[in-house]
Amino acid sequence: MNPQRGASLFGYGVHHVQLAIRPAGEDAARAFYVGVLGMTEVEKPPELAKRGGLWLRTDALELHLGVEAGHVPSKKAHPGILVADLDALAARLAAAGCPVEWDADFIGYRRCYTRDPFGNRLEFLTPLGD
């Protein structure tokens, strides 16, 4: 156990993070999340599939993209996604025409931000070596 993280009575963990997309945005989402980020789309349960959107998984990460009419992305709220090869991911994002904003203000980590096709902010980070 990491003493800096603490432990609760409840055993918390993250199953997934949900981000909003605009109606009929599934193709743009697939192009970015599958085509650029390399995630895998997984089938949604039939009752949830009726709502639109899509679910994505890769490694230890699961994202759910839910349709929201009138979606306005948050300026600050974002998932912080750990990445093994941050430089390769940043290069892939840049090659796909996605903006990459580097930020050196998080001690112990290298990180950058981008935005998905819906304006959702995504943080990618990797711990600095010892």
Side-chain angles (χ1 to χ4, degrees):
M1 177 182 84
N2 180 339
Q4 293 183 3
R5 286 208 172 259
S8 76
L9 299 174
F10 308 107
Y12 291 115
V14 174
H15 178 273
H16 68 273
V17 171
Q18 179 157 328
L19 299 172
I21 64 172
R22 66 180 173 268
E26 289 85 356
D27 288 342
R30 284 183 189 96
F32 179 75
Y33 286 95
V34 176
V36 177
L37 297 185
M39 298 185 76
T40 300
E41 183 177 355
V42 296
E43 189 173 342
K44 291 176 69 172
E47 285 303 309
L48 297 177
K50 295 176 188 176
R51 301 176 188 175
L54 53 137
W55 288 4
L56 303 143
R57 290 183 189 143
T58 190
D59 304 312
L61 175 63
E62 183 162 337
L63 294 177
H64 293 181
L65 304 180
V67 173
E68 181 179 309
H71 167 59
V72 176
S74 173
K75 291 180 182 177
K76 288 199 64 106
H78 61 273
I81 301 169
L82 290 169
V83 178
D85 191 342
L86 186 61
D87 292 316
L89 176 60
R92 186 173 178 111
L93 287 164
C98 302
V100 176
E101 177 187 342
W102 290 94
D103 181 354
D105 291 339
F106 191 176
I107 295 172
Y109 290 87
R110 288 184 64 234
R111 68 179 175 171
C112 65
Y113 296 95
T114 196
R115 297 220 176 239
D116 73 5
F118 313 98
N120 295 310
R121 186 179 191 208
L122 303 172
E123 176 184 348
F124 297 103
L125 64 161
T126 191
L128 291 172
D130 295 325

